[in-house]
């Protein structure tokens, strides 16, 4: 392989600049030992050749990687917002991320195994599905921070949204608009689904609407929302709280194709305030999780664990807020 076909090395810069590799190393590290003229010439050659110091290799030689491994689900639209926030928070304190995705063909155990091979110093797991005992065993190997799921064992740090509180806000909003027949499209076994389901039942009971409560099977994706929409067509409620924004968009498509207007015939509330909800043609009323706060807390907790700093409290709960947009309106009289 010719030099033009491979990544330039320290030796290539030294040969081109006519100096030793040790002197190039001094220049690249920014340490004293090279004249201003030599430093300028070496940097110019490095730029011409496209040489960039391999900071990760240097860290590995020192026994540190400064890598945070992140496991996320490609089916979760909100996970994209969380990953964006994690990059910002990690960069702020000098860490890098390495990502491993859970897909319909790649389970969580494989996603985690890939990160362990990358010598990550800590793992941040977004809404993991693994049994708690497996998370605890994993935390025995390296620090583990779980985002968007509760874990009882103190070996695992948790940053999560107040899931039930968010659904309380959604139901309160719909009741204030005059809705009494309010259904909930469930998230199945997804992280947070049980708490959101509980929050729906609590809010309906508080408003004296327990007898009209209706839980419809749903899930994470547009297809799950579409199936829920078809199930609701024969006896539609006046409003519906949906497990997440992605599921809500699938439901919106089906009910509109069935001739129902939104919000005239049916008001719809999602959950997460993902980028999908903010699209102009979706304009979804939704419960917003504060991704920036959650990810900053998660990265800080991982860094504290790496440094051996005691973490108190072990679980941090972030409060959501309702964002009202165009898919909710007054109930028909």
């Amino acid at each position: 392989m010719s030099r033009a076909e491979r990544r330039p090395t320290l030796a290539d810069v030294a040969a081109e600049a006519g100096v030793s590799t040790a002197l190039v190393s001094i220049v690249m590290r920014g340490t004293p030992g090279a004249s201003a003229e030599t430093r300028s010439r070496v940097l110019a050659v490095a730029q011409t050749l496209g040489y960039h110091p391999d900071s990760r290799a240097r860290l590995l030689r020192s026994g540190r990687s400064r890598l945070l491994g992140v496991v996320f689900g490609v089916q979760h639209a909100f996970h994209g917002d969380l990953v964006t926030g994690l990059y910002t928070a990690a960069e702020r304190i000098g860490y890098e991320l390495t990502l491993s995705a859970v897909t319909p063909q790649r389970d969580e155990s494989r996603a985690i195994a890939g990160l362990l091979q990358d010598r990550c110093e800590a793992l941040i797991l977004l809404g993991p599905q693994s049994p708690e005992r497996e998370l605890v065993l994993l935390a025995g190997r390296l620090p583990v921070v779980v985002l968007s799921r509760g874990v009882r064992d103190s070996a695992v740090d948790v940053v999560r949204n107040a899931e039930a509180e968010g659904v309380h806000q959604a139901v309160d909003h719909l009741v204030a608009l005059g809705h009494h027949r309010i259904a909930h499209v469930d998230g199945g076994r997804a992280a947070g689904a049980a708490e959101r389901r509980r929050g729906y039942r609590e809010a309906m009971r508080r408003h004296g609407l327990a007898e009209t409560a209706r839980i419809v099977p749903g899930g994470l994706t547009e297809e799950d929302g579409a199936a829920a929409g078809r199930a609701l067509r024969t006896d539609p409620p006046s409003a519906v709280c949906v497990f997440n924004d992605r599921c809500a968009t699938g439901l919106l498509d089906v009910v509109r194709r069935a001739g129902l207007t939104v919000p005239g015939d049916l008001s719809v509330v999602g959950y997460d305030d993902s980028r999908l909800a903010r699209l102009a043609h979706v304009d979804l009323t939704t419960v917003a999780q504060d991704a920036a706060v959650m990810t900053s807390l998660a990265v800080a907790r991982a860094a504290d664990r790496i440094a051996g700093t005691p973490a108190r409290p072990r679980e941090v709960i972030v409060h959501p807020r309702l964002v009202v947009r165009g898919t909710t309106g007054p109930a028909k009289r």
Side-chain angles (χ1 to χ4, degrees), residues 75-79 81 170 184-187 196 219-226 240-253 256 268-279 281-289 321-323 325 327:
Q75 292 184 301
H76 294 264
F78 185 58
H79 282 193
D81 293 345
H184 175 60
V185 174
D186 192 29
R196 295 180 195 183
L220 298 170
T221 68
E222 292 90 340
E223 291 79 9
D224 295 321
V240 59
C241 301
V242 186
F243 172 70
N244 69 11
D245 295 339
R246 190 173 173 188
C247 187
T249 58
L251 181 143
L252 285 170
D253 180 63
R256 282 170 170 158
V268 179
V269 182
Y271 207 114
D272 290 337
D273 194 28
S274 63
R275 295 177 183 179
L276 188 61
R278 301 192 290 271
L279 294 173
H281 70 281
V282 178
D283 197 32
L284 180 66
T285 294
T286 186
V287 177
Q289 302 192 61
R321 61 185 176 84
L322 184 71
V323 179
R325 296 194 180 97
T327 58

Side-chain angles (χ1 to χ4, degrees), residues 79-225:
H79 282 193
D81 293 345
L82 290 175
V83 168
T84 299
L86 288 170
Y87 269 114
T88 301
E91 184 178 2
R92 195 181 299 132
I93 61 172
Y95 279 85
E96 294 184 23
L97 301 185
T98 183
L99 306 181
S100 191
V102 177
T103 75
Q105 289 77 40
R106 187 174 191 254
D107 65 18
E108 193 166 279
S109 61
R110 288 179 61 194
I112 291 171
L115 293 177
L116 294 175
Q117 293 176 353
D118 285 343
R119 295 187 62 179
C120 296
E121 295 191 41
L123 297 183
I124 300 176
L125 311 180
L126 309 190
Q129 296 293 304
S130 299
E132 185 169 311
R133 65 181 180 278
E134 292 183 13
L135 297 177
V136 173
L137 288 172
L138 185 62
R141 300 179 61 179
L142 77 174
V144 173
V145 181
V146 166
L147 260 172
S148 301
R149 173 188 161 180
V151 178
R152 291 184 297 273
D153 196 287
S154 61
V156 179
D157 289 290
V158 173
V159 178
R160 66 179 180 88
N161 175 66
E163 306 286 1
E165 180 184 327
V167 182
H168 289 174
Q169 293 178 20
V171 172
D172 290 349
H173 169 64
L174 293 169
V175 170
L177 291 170
H179 295 280
H180 298 118
R181 294 182 300 109
I182 303 168
H184 175 60
V185 174
D186 192 29
R189 299 181 63 185
E195 291 83 0
R196 295 180 195 183
R197 189 164 53 243
R198 174 174 58 80
Y200 166 73
R201 289 189 174 118
E202 290 172 348
M204 293 293 281
R205 186 164 55 247
R206 176 163 47 82
H207 287 289
L209 301 174
E211 291 186 1
T212 63
R214 180 181 178 188
I215 296 178
V216 180
L220 298 170
T221 68
E222 292 90 340
E223 291 79 9
D224 295 321

